[in-house]
Amino acid sequence: MSVKLEASWMEILNEEFQKDYMKNLRSYLQLAKTQGRTIYPSGKLIFNAFEHTPFNKVKVVILGQDPYHGPNQAHGLSFSVQKGVQFPPSLQNIFKELMSEYKEFKYPAHGDLSQWADQGVLLLNATLTVEAHKPGSHQKQGWENFTDKVIENLSEKKSGIIFLLWGKFAQAKANLINDSKHHILQSAHPSPFSAHNGFFGNNHFKRVNEILEKEGKTGINWEIT
C-alpha cells in the first residue's frame, strides 16, 4: 500500500502511518496482493476522498461503512461509483431522496460523486479497502482506527461541520464528534432494507444547505453533471 495523502491531511495524520496498527494493515494488504486476491479500490484511489476534500475545505461528512466490492465500482468515495457503472441500490435511493427534496434535481447519468467532494463533502468510508465480492472483508484490520482518528481530528480542530450519519453503523461514530461545535444529522441508511424507515423524507440535503447558509457558507450544489 503506497501512501499518497493530500498534504493538509498528511500533516495531521502522518504519525498514524508510523503506528503498529497501520504497519500491520499494510502487511495484511501486501499479503493479500501476493496471494492473488483482488482488492478494491486500486491503490492509487484508496485515499481519494482526502485528495478531493482537503482538511481546510471540509464542510460536510457523509460516512459510509466500506467500499463497494464489485468490479469498477469503488473509487475511494463513500456511496460513489465510477462513471459507466450501474448504480447500487443505496445510491439509487440517495438520488431518489434528492429528487423529492429538490424538484429541479435531475436523475444523474452517472454515480460519480466527485463533484460533491470537490465542494467540501468528505465522502469517508470507515474501512477504505475490501476484497472483491466479500463485503466487510477488511473490517477490523486497522482501517477503523485510522478513520476514527480522521473524525476525531475534524471534531477537535474544526467547527460547524455537518455530519450525516445514516444507519446504526454510522450513528455509532457520534461519540467521536463534539456536538456542541458541530451538527449531527441522523437517519436510517439508504439501503433498500431500511430506506423506508426514515431515510426517505429526512430532508438532509436541504438541511445541510440551510445550516451552511445560516452560517454564512456557500451551500452544496447537489446536481451531478
Side-chain angles (χ1 to χ4, degrees):
M1 180 180 67
S2 60
V3 177
K4 180 181 180 297
L5 199 62
E6 189 275 333
S8 64
W9 283 108
M10 182 58 88
E11 184 177 346
I12 291 165
L13 298 168
N14 181 51
E15 65 181 42
E16 295 302 306
F17 292 98
Q18 317 308 320
K19 294 182 178 179
D20 286 343
Y21 82 83
M22 189 58 84
K23 293 177 182 177
N24 293 338
L25 175 58
R26 184 181 288 112
S27 298
Y28 174 83
L29 293 173
Q30 288 172 341
L31 177 61
K33 190 173 182 180
T34 59
Q35 292 174 339
R37 302 181 190 178
T38 300
I39 305 299
Y40 297 131
S42 62
K44 66 182 180 180
L45 294 175
I46 290 174
F47 298 104
N48 199 26
F50 304 94
E51 198 67 31
H52 280 277
T53 316
F55 183 81
N56 64 338
K57 292 187 177 180
V58 178
K59 297 178 179 178
V60 182
V61 177
I62 299 180
L63 187 64
Q65 193 159 352
D66 61 351
Y68 296 122
H69 53 87
N72 302 315
Q73 290 183 310
H75 63 129
L77 305 176
S78 63
F79 294 103
S80 180
V81 292
Q82 300 186 59
K83 291 179 180 177
V85 176
Q86 185 176 359
F87 301 167
S90 291
L91 185 56
Q92 293 179 36
N93 287 338
I94 287 171
F95 291 151
K96 288 176 183 176
E97 173 59 23
L98 271 162
M99 290 176 73
S100 75
E101 294 185 31
Y102 293 96
K103 301 307 178 187
E104 67 275 18
F105 182 86
K106 298 176 182 177
Y107 199 80
H110 65 83
D112 183 345
L113 305 182
S114 297
Q115 293 172 357
W116 296 0
D118 292 337
Q119 296 177 75
V121 182
L122 182 65
L123 297 169
L124 181 67
N125 278 317
T127 304
L128 299 187
T129 58
V130 69
E131 186 174 339
H133 310 301
K134 294 185 178 180
S137 51
H138 287 184
Q139 292 176 8
K140 300 182 180 178
Q141 297 295 335
W143 278 128
E144 294 90 341
N145 301 61
F146 179 77
T147 53
D148 280 359
K149 187 61 67 173
V150 169
I151 296 169
E152 288 171 357
N153 272 282
L154 288 169
S155 177
E156 178 185 340
K157 297 175 181 176
K158 292 178 71 72
S159 62
I161 293 177
I162 307 164
F163 290 85
L164 303 187
L165 306 183
W166 297 334
K168 292 180 180 178
F169 176 87
Q171 290 162 12
K173 303 292 184 178
N175 64 345
L176 303 174
I177 304 164
N178 183 342
D179 62 4
S180 68
K181 294 171 57 183
H182 302 281
H183 310 275
I184 300 176
L185 303 183
Q186 303 187 50
S187 79
H189 193 275
S191 161
F193 300 106
S194 56
H196 290 281
N197 293 326
F199 177 78
F200 289 137
N202 65 17
N203 285 312
H204 278 186
F205 300 101
K206 271 194 171 180
R207 290 174 67 189
V208 162
N209 281 341
E210 287 169 358
I211 293 168
L212 290 174
E213 289 162 11
K214 186 176 180 180
E215 296 187 349
K217 301 174 184 176
T218 303
I220 307 299
N221 178 6
W222 300 110
E223 197 75 39
I224 304 293
T225 58

PDB file of all heavy atoms in Angstrom, residues 124-148:
ATOM      1  N   LEU A 124     -16.419   9.712   3.288  1.00  0.00           N
ATOM      2  CA  LEU A 124     -15.495   8.866   4.034  1.00  0.00           C
ATOM      3  C   LEU A 124     -16.101   7.512   4.374  1.00  0.00           C
ATOM      4  O   LEU A 124     -17.148   7.442   5.031  1.00  0.00           O
ATOM      5  CB  LEU A 124     -15.098   9.578   5.341  1.00  0.00           C
ATOM      6  CG  LEU A 124     -14.123   8.851   6.253  1.00  0.00           C
ATOM      7  CD1 LEU A 124     -12.747   8.731   5.610  1.00  0.00           C
ATOM      8  CD2 LEU A 124     -14.031   9.566   7.598  1.00  0.00           C
ATOM      9  N   ASN A 125     -15.452   6.446   3.945  1.00  0.00           N
ATOM     10  CA  ASN A 125     -15.797   5.110   4.422  1.00  0.00           C
ATOM     11  C   ASN A 125     -14.998   4.800   5.681  1.00  0.00           C
ATOM     12  O   ASN A 125     -13.833   5.202   5.796  1.00  0.00           O
ATOM     13  CB  ASN A 125     -15.489   4.048   3.359  1.00  0.00           C
ATOM     14  CG  ASN A 125     -16.576   3.932   2.317  1.00  0.00           C
ATOM     15  OD1 ASN A 125     -17.758   3.942   2.634  1.00  0.00           O
ATOM     16  ND2 ASN A 125     -16.177   3.816   1.058  1.00  0.00           N
ATOM     17  N   ALA A 126     -15.590   4.075   6.616  1.00  0.00           N
ATOM     18  CA  ALA A 126     -14.881   3.688   7.832  1.00  0.00           C
ATOM     19  C   ALA A 126     -13.757   2.709   7.523  1.00  0.00           C
ATOM     20  O   ALA A 126     -12.716   2.716   8.169  1.00  0.00           O
ATOM     21  CB  ALA A 126     -15.852   3.081   8.837  1.00  0.00           C
ATOM     22  N   THR A 127     -13.967   1.849   6.538  1.00  0.00           N
ATOM     23  CA  THR A 127     -12.959   0.918   6.056  1.00  0.00           C
ATOM     24  C   THR A 127     -12.648   1.307   4.617  1.00  0.00           C
ATOM     25  O   THR A 127     -13.557   1.474   3.816  1.00  0.00           O
ATOM     26  CB  THR A 127     -13.480  -0.534   6.108  1.00  0.00           C
ATOM     27  OG1 THR A 127     -13.892  -0.828   7.447  1.00  0.00           O
ATOM     28  CG2 THR A 127     -12.414  -1.523   5.684  1.00  0.00           C
ATOM     29  N   LEU A 128     -11.362   1.445   4.283  1.00  0.00           N
ATOM     30  CA  LEU A 128     -11.006   2.031   2.991  1.00  0.00           C
ATOM     31  C   LEU A 128     -10.686   1.019   1.904  1.00  0.00           C
ATOM     32  O   LEU A 128     -10.462   1.413   0.756  1.00  0.00           O
ATOM     33  CB  LEU A 128      -9.832   3.003   3.157  1.00  0.00           C
ATOM     34  CG  LEU A 128     -10.074   4.201   4.086  1.00  0.00           C
ATOM     35  CD1 LEU A 128      -8.905   5.162   4.021  1.00  0.00           C
ATOM     36  CD2 LEU A 128     -11.373   4.920   3.745  1.00  0.00           C
ATOM     37  N   THR A 129     -10.664  -0.266   2.238  1.00  0.00           N
ATOM     38  CA  THR A 129     -10.452  -1.302   1.223  1.00  0.00           C
ATOM     39  C   THR A 129     -11.380  -2.479   1.490  1.00  0.00           C
ATOM     40  O   THR A 129     -11.937  -2.620   2.585  1.00  0.00           O
ATOM     41  CB  THR A 129      -8.995  -1.818   1.214  1.00  0.00           C
ATOM     42  OG1 THR A 129      -8.657  -2.332   2.504  1.00  0.00           O
ATOM     43  CG2 THR A 129      -8.007  -0.727   0.822  1.00  0.00           C
ATOM     44  N   VAL A 130     -11.508  -3.342   0.479  1.00  0.00           N
ATOM     45  CA  VAL A 130     -12.346  -4.531   0.598  1.00  0.00           C
ATOM     46  C   VAL A 130     -11.853  -5.554  -0.414  1.00  0.00           C
ATOM     47  O   VAL A 130     -11.303  -5.194  -1.452  1.00  0.00           O
ATOM     48  CB  VAL A 130     -13.836  -4.182   0.351  1.00  0.00           C
ATOM     49  CG1 VAL A 130     -14.092  -3.811  -1.110  1.00  0.00           C
ATOM     50  CG2 VAL A 130     -14.764  -5.295   0.795  1.00  0.00           C
ATOM     51  N   GLU A 131     -12.039  -6.833  -0.104  1.00  0.00           N
ATOM     52  CA  GLU A 131     -11.705  -7.867  -1.078  1.00  0.00           C
ATOM     53  C   GLU A 131     -12.887  -8.055  -2.030  1.00  0.00           C
ATOM     54  O   GLU A 131     -14.054  -7.958  -1.627  1.00  0.00           O
ATOM     55  CB  GLU A 131     -11.400  -9.190  -0.369  1.00  0.00           C
ATOM     56  CG  GLU A 131     -10.905 -10.274  -1.318  1.00  0.00           C
ATOM     57  CD  GLU A 131     -10.458 -11.537  -0.595  1.00  0.00           C
ATOM     58  OE1 GLU A 131     -10.146 -11.458   0.610  1.00  0.00           O
ATOM     59  OE2 GLU A 131     -10.410 -12.603  -1.241  1.00  0.00           O
ATOM     60  N   ALA A 132     -12.568  -8.304  -3.289  1.00  0.00           N
ATOM     61  CA  ALA A 132     -13.597  -8.453  -4.307  1.00  0.00           C
ATOM     62  C   ALA A 132     -14.655  -9.460  -3.884  1.00  0.00           C
ATOM     63  O   ALA A 132     -14.338 -10.573  -3.445  1.00  0.00           O
ATOM     64  CB  ALA A 132     -12.962  -8.896  -5.628  1.00  0.00           C
ATOM     65  N   HIS A 133     -15.919  -9.060  -3.993  1.00  0.00           N
ATOM     66  CA  HIS A 133     -17.085  -9.914  -3.762  1.00  0.00           C
ATOM     67  C   HIS A 133     -17.211 -10.392  -2.317  1.00  0.00           C
ATOM     68  O   HIS A 133     -17.953 -11.334  -2.044  1.00  0.00           O
ATOM     69  CB  HIS A 133     -17.057 -11.126  -4.701  1.00  0.00           C
ATOM     70  CG  HIS A 133     -16.834 -10.754  -6.144  1.00  0.00           C
ATOM     71  ND1 HIS A 133     -17.678  -9.923  -6.834  1.00  0.00           N
ATOM     72  CD2 HIS A 133     -15.823 -11.080  -6.996  1.00  0.00           C
ATOM     73  CE1 HIS A 133     -17.219  -9.766  -8.069  1.00  0.00           C
ATOM     74  NE2 HIS A 133     -16.100 -10.435  -8.193  1.00  0.00           N
ATOM     75  N   LYS A 134     -16.518  -9.716  -1.395  1.00  0.00           N
ATOM     76  CA  LYS A 134     -16.588 -10.098   0.024  1.00  0.00           C
ATOM     77  C   LYS A 134     -16.845  -8.850   0.867  1.00  0.00           C
ATOM     78  O   LYS A 134     -15.907  -8.282   1.451  1.00  0.00           O
ATOM     79  CB  LYS A 134     -15.302 -10.804   0.469  1.00  0.00           C
ATOM     80  CG  LYS A 134     -15.079 -12.151  -0.194  1.00  0.00           C
ATOM     81  CD  LYS A 134     -13.862 -12.859   0.379  1.00  0.00           C
ATOM     82  CE  LYS A 134     -13.661 -14.233  -0.237  1.00  0.00           C
ATOM     83  NZ  LYS A 134     -12.464 -14.917   0.320  1.00  0.00           N
ATOM     84  N   PRO A 135     -18.092  -8.411   0.954  1.00  0.00           N
ATOM     85  CA  PRO A 135     -18.399  -7.201   1.724  1.00  0.00           C
ATOM     86  C   PRO A 135     -17.949  -7.322   3.172  1.00  0.00           C
ATOM     87  O   PRO A 135     -18.096  -8.368   3.796  1.00  0.00           O
ATOM     88  CB  PRO A 135     -19.924  -7.090   1.616  1.00  0.00           C
ATOM     89  CG  PRO A 135     -20.397  -8.461   1.236  1.00  0.00           C
ATOM     90  CD  PRO A 135     -19.305  -9.049   0.406  1.00  0.00           C
ATOM     91  N   GLY A 136     -17.362  -6.244   3.675  1.00  0.00           N
ATOM     92  CA  GLY A 136     -16.919  -6.231   5.071  1.00  0.00           C
ATOM     93  C   GLY A 136     -15.656  -7.012   5.339  1.00  0.00           C
ATOM     94  O   GLY A 136     -15.253  -7.147   6.496  1.00  0.00           O
ATOM     95  N   SER A 137     -14.994  -7.509   4.308  1.00  0.00           N
ATOM     96  CA  SER A 137     -13.857  -8.413   4.498  1.00  0.00           C
ATOM     97  C   SER A 137     -12.635  -7.752   5.127  1.00  0.00           C
ATOM     98  O   SER A 137     -11.791  -8.440   5.697  1.00  0.00           O
ATOM     99  CB  SER A 137     -13.459  -9.058   3.160  1.00  0.00           C
ATOM    100  OG  SER A 137     -13.293  -8.081   2.154  1.00  0.00           O
ATOM    101  N   HIS A 138     -12.521  -6.432   5.038  1.00  0.00           N
ATOM    102  CA  HIS A 138     -11.360  -5.756   5.623  1.00  0.00           C
ATOM    103  C   HIS A 138     -11.714  -4.961   6.869  1.00  0.00           C
ATOM    104  O   HIS A 138     -10.931  -4.120   7.320  1.00  0.00           O
ATOM    105  CB  HIS A 138     -10.695  -4.850   4.582  1.00  0.00           C
ATOM    106  CG  HIS A 138      -9.952  -5.602   3.527  1.00  0.00           C
ATOM    107  ND1 HIS A 138      -9.212  -4.994   2.538  1.00  0.00           N
ATOM    108  CD2 HIS A 138      -9.826  -6.935   3.310  1.00  0.00           C
ATOM    109  CE1 HIS A 138      -8.666  -5.914   1.753  1.00  0.00           C
ATOM    110  NE2 HIS A 138      -9.042  -7.095   2.197  1.00  0.00           N
ATOM    111  N   GLN A 139     -12.870  -5.245   7.426  1.00  0.00           N
ATOM    112  CA  GLN A 139     -13.209  -4.621   8.701  1.00  0.00           C
ATOM    113  C   GLN A 139     -12.358  -5.229   9.821  1.00  0.00           C
ATOM    114  O   GLN A 139     -11.950  -6.381   9.756  1.00  0.00           O
ATOM    115  CB  GLN A 139     -14.699  -4.810   8.996  1.00  0.00           C
ATOM    116  CG  GLN A 139     -15.597  -4.031   8.043  1.00  0.00           C
ATOM    117  CD  GLN A 139     -17.076  -4.299   8.269  1.00  0.00           C
ATOM    118  OE1 GLN A 139     -17.455  -4.958   9.228  1.00  0.00           O
ATOM    119  NE2 GLN A 139     -17.923  -3.794   7.374  1.00  0.00           N
ATOM    120  N   LYS A 140     -12.080  -4.414  10.810  1.00  0.00           N
ATOM    121  CA  LYS A 140     -11.310  -4.824  11.999  1.00  0.00           C
ATOM    122  C   LYS A 140      -9.891  -5.248  11.658  1.00  0.00           C
ATOM    123  O   LYS A 140      -9.304  -6.096  12.347  1.00  0.00           O
ATOM    124  CB  LYS A 140     -12.050  -5.942  12.763  1.00  0.00           C
ATOM    125  CG  LYS A 140     -13.431  -5.507  13.247  1.00  0.00           C
ATOM    126  CD  LYS A 140     -14.136  -6.593  14.028  1.00  0.00           C
ATOM    127  CE  LYS A 140     -15.501  -6.119  14.493  1.00  0.00           C
ATOM    128  NZ  LYS A 140     -16.258  -7.167  15.233  1.00  0.00           N
ATOM    129  N   GLN A 141      -9.342  -4.661  10.592  1.00  0.00           N
ATOM    130  CA  GLN A 141      -7.941  -4.886  10.244  1.00  0.00           C
ATOM    131  C   GLN A 141      -7.091  -3.642  10.521  1.00  0.00           C
ATOM    132  O   GLN A 141      -5.885  -3.668  10.285  1.00  0.00           O
ATOM    133  CB  GLN A 141      -7.812  -5.288   8.769  1.00  0.00           C
ATOM    134  CG  GLN A 141      -8.478  -6.594   8.403  1.00  0.00           C
ATOM    135  CD  GLN A 141      -7.840  -7.787   9.096  1.00  0.00           C
ATOM    136  OE1 GLN A 141      -6.671  -7.761   9.480  1.00  0.00           O
ATOM    137  NE2 GLN A 141      -8.619  -8.841   9.285  1.00  0.00           N
ATOM    138  N   GLY A 142      -7.726  -2.594  11.007  1.00  0.00           N
ATOM    139  CA  GLY A 142      -6.987  -1.380  11.340  1.00  0.00           C
ATOM    140  C   GLY A 142      -7.522  -0.112  10.721  1.00  0.00           C
ATOM    141  O   GLY A 142      -7.259   0.993  11.216  1.00  0.00           O
ATOM    142  N   TRP A 143      -8.280  -0.243   9.646  1.00  0.00           N
ATOM    143  CA  TRP A 143      -8.792   0.960   8.990  1.00  0.00           C
ATOM    144  C   TRP A 143      -9.650   1.808   9.912  1.00  0.00           C
ATOM    145  O   TRP A 143      -9.609   3.048   9.864  1.00  0.00           O
ATOM    146  CB  TRP A 143      -9.609   0.583   7.758  1.00  0.00           C
ATOM    147  CG  TRP A 143      -8.826   0.305   6.515  1.00  0.00           C
ATOM    148  CD1 TRP A 143      -8.905  -0.790   5.703  1.00  0.00           C
ATOM    149  CD2 TRP A 143      -7.843   1.153   5.893  1.00  0.00           C
ATOM    150  NE1 TRP A 143      -8.045  -0.690   4.640  1.00  0.00           N
ATOM    151  CE2 TRP A 143      -7.385   0.506   4.727  1.00  0.00           C
ATOM    152  CE3 TRP A 143      -7.310   2.407   6.217  1.00  0.00           C
ATOM    153  CZ2 TRP A 143      -6.413   1.063   3.889  1.00  0.00           C
ATOM    154  CZ3 TRP A 143      -6.344   2.970   5.380  1.00  0.00           C
ATOM    155  CH2 TRP A 143      -5.912   2.289   4.236  1.00  0.00           C
ATOM    156  N   GLU A 144     -10.452   1.145  10.748  1.00  0.00           N
ATOM    157  CA  GLU A 144     -11.342   1.909  11.623  1.00  0.00           C
ATOM    158  C   GLU A 144     -10.560   2.801  12.597  1.00  0.00           C
ATOM    159  O   GLU A 144     -11.016   3.901  12.925  1.00  0.00           O
ATOM    160  CB  GLU A 144     -12.271   0.972  12.402  1.00  0.00           C
ATOM    161  CG  GLU A 144     -13.275   0.226  11.525  1.00  0.00           C
ATOM    162  CD  GLU A 144     -12.763  -1.115  11.017  1.00  0.00           C
ATOM    163  OE1 GLU A 144     -11.527  -1.329  11.035  1.00  0.00           O
ATOM    164  OE2 GLU A 144     -13.581  -1.944  10.595  1.00  0.00           O
ATOM    165  N   ASN A 145      -9.388   2.321  13.037  1.00  0.00           N
ATOM    166  CA  ASN A 145      -8.539   3.158  13.895  1.00  0.00           C
ATOM    167  C   ASN A 145      -8.166   4.446  13.172  1.00  0.00           C
ATOM    168  O   ASN A 145      -8.187   5.535  13.748  1.00  0.00           O
ATOM    169  CB  ASN A 145      -7.259   2.415  14.273  1.00  0.00           C
ATOM    170  CG  ASN A 145      -7.509   1.108  14.999  1.00  0.00           C
ATOM    171  OD1 ASN A 145      -8.138   0.212  14.453  1.00  0.00           O
ATOM    172  ND2 ASN A 145      -7.004   0.973  16.210  1.00  0.00           N
ATOM    173  N   PHE A 146      -7.815   4.294  11.906  1.00  0.00           N
ATOM    174  CA  PHE A 146      -7.383   5.434  11.100  1.00  0.00           C
ATOM    175  C   PHE A 146      -8.529   6.405  10.848  1.00  0.00           C
ATOM    176  O   PHE A 146      -8.403   7.619  11.060  1.00  0.00           O
ATOM    177  CB  PHE A 146      -6.805   4.931   9.776  1.00  0.00           C
ATOM    178  CG  PHE A 146      -6.348   6.015   8.849  1.00  0.00           C
ATOM    179  CD1 PHE A 146      -5.148   6.671   9.067  1.00  0.00           C
ATOM    180  CD2 PHE A 146      -7.111   6.388   7.756  1.00  0.00           C
ATOM    181  CE1 PHE A 146      -4.709   7.682   8.211  1.00  0.00           C
ATOM    182  CE2 PHE A 146      -6.693   7.391   6.892  1.00  0.00           C
ATOM    183  CZ  PHE A 146      -5.485   8.036   7.126  1.00  0.00           C
ATOM    184  N   THR A 147      -9.668   5.891  10.407  1.00  0.00           N
ATOM    185  CA  THR A 147     -10.783   6.788  10.073  1.00  0.00           C
ATOM    186  C   THR A 147     -11.437   7.386  11.322  1.00  0.00           C
ATOM    187  O   THR A 147     -11.973   8.489  11.266  1.00  0.00           O
ATOM    188  CB  THR A 147     -11.823   6.075   9.188  1.00  0.00           C
ATOM    189  OG1 THR A 147     -12.241   4.850   9.801  1.00  0.00           O
ATOM    190  CG2 THR A 147     -11.217   5.762   7.813  1.00  0.00           C
ATOM    191  N   ASP A 148     -11.378   6.661  12.441  1.00  0.00           N
ATOM    192  CA  ASP A 148     -11.831   7.279  13.692  1.00  0.00           C
ATOM    193  C   ASP A 148     -10.955   8.490  14.032  1.00  0.00           C
ATOM    194  O   ASP A 148     -11.453   9.515  14.516  1.00  0.00           O
ATOM    195  CB  ASP A 148     -11.776   6.272  14.844  1.00  0.00           C
ATOM    196  CG  ASP A 148     -12.955   5.322  14.862  1.00  0.00           C
ATOM    197  OD1 ASP A 148     -13.846   5.434  13.993  1.00  0.00           O
ATOM    198  OD2 ASP A 148     -12.985   4.439  15.752  1.00  0.00           O
TER     199      ASP A 148
END
